[in-house]
Amino acid sequence: MSVLPSSFETLSDKLAKLPGVGRKSAQRLAFHIISMPDADAEAFAAAILDAKKTIRECAVCRNLSESEVCTVCDNPRRDPRLVCVVSDPKGVLAIERSREYGGVFHVLHGVISPLQGVSPNDLRIRELMERVAAGAVDEVILATNPDVEGETTARYIARLLAPFEVRTTRLAYGLPSGSSLEFADDATLTRALEGRVEY
Ligand SMILES: [Zn+2]
């Protein structure tokens, strides 16, 4: 039987479900939240609800967006015929960090992983193929992470793209395999983009 109120336990349990938050950190965060001024706690809860309500997927690239079409797809200075495929929105942030990229994106929202029960149908691969089939794309840069699942996903998509008249390339990672796009420094990302190879 806990010596703390059940509402505290509930809050702590919810926090413990967040990625990277263990039991102890969850309790520490819960103590912090209950010590917040009411207005701050309310603003915090409202921010969660607001983000959930307003953020959706861009109708074109499936990145997170507050409008029907995201700010990248909507930018006339970006080349819509050059599409960089990333596994998640963190990949978009990583590529944007290089400041060298002038194309647009396609966000898969995951990678193929039989172990985790993620199949191609769970990803936004069909939506990518629709963009390509519509003749809207000249080059697809496969920028999934250079780990086993990222490679499997890149190979799967490359096979689907083969019948289409589209150039398919893969980032030239100057990174050991098994690493993640997210943690690559800006210079490495720039080199990876510039040195991309036919796939
Ligand atoms: Zn978009």
Side-chain angles (χ1 to χ4, degrees):
M1 185 85 190
S2 174
V3 291
L4 291 162
S6 67
S7 55
F8 180 89
E9 295 294 344
T10 304
L11 176 59
S12 178
D13 286 349
K14 299 286 179 210
L15 291 165
K17 291 210 170 77
L18 297 173
V21 179
R23 271 275 30 109
K24 280 238 169 73
S25 312
Q27 259 179 11
R28 196 164 43 78
L29 291 168
F31 278 122
H32 177 79
I33 290 168
I34 55 164
S35 70
M36 279 178 174
D38 286 356
D40 288 0
E42 273 159 28
F44 183 59
I48 294 175
L49 294 176
D50 190 47
K52 274 305 287 178
K53 240 187 292 187
T54 57
I55 296 176
R56 53 177 146 169
E57 287 180 19
C58 167
V60 181
C61 73
R62 303 290 150 183
N63 193 14
L64 302 181
S65 175
E66 280 193 338
S67 45
E68 174 79 10
V69 174
C70 77
T71 50
V72 174
C73 291
D74 207 28
N75 183 344
R77 288 204 303 260
R78 310 287 297 231
D79 177 3
R81 306 195 63 84
L82 176 62
V83 177
C84 182
V85 175
V86 291
S87 57
D88 53 49
K90 283 181 289 188
V92 173
L93 290 180
I95 298 288
E96 285 296 278
R97 244 189 317 115
S98 77
R99 284 193 218 90
E100 293 294 313
Y101 184 62
V104 295
F105 292 95
H106 193 88
V107 181
L108 299 172
H109 292 275
V111 280
I112 298 168
S113 171
L115 282 178
Q116 315 267 352
V118 183
S119 79
N121 287 336
D122 298 316
L123 308 176
R124 307 296 184 273
I125 293 176
R126 187 172 49 81
E127 290 84 348
L128 172 67
M129 296 315 295
E130 282 168 5
R131 290 174 80 177
V132 172
V137 182
D138 289 333
E139 179 180 346
V140 172
I141 306 170
L142 298 168
T144 48
N145 288 329
D147 54 20
V148 174
E149 292 167 343
E151 288 297 344
T152 302
T153 308
R155 265 200 305 275
Y156 180 87
I157 293 173
R159 263 206 310 276
L160 294 181
L161 290 172
F164 294 91
E165 277 208 18
V166 60
R167 188 179 172 213
T168 305
T169 54
R170 180 88 170 110
L171 287 191
Y173 286 97
L175 297 165
S177 65
S179 54
S180 165
L181 202 62
E182 220 187 310
F183 304 116
D185 63 67
D186 301 6
T188 305
L189 278 169
T190 302
R191 272 200 308 276
L193 266 170
E194 282 171 351
R196 64 187 188 267
V197 288
E198 302 295 327
Y199 193 69

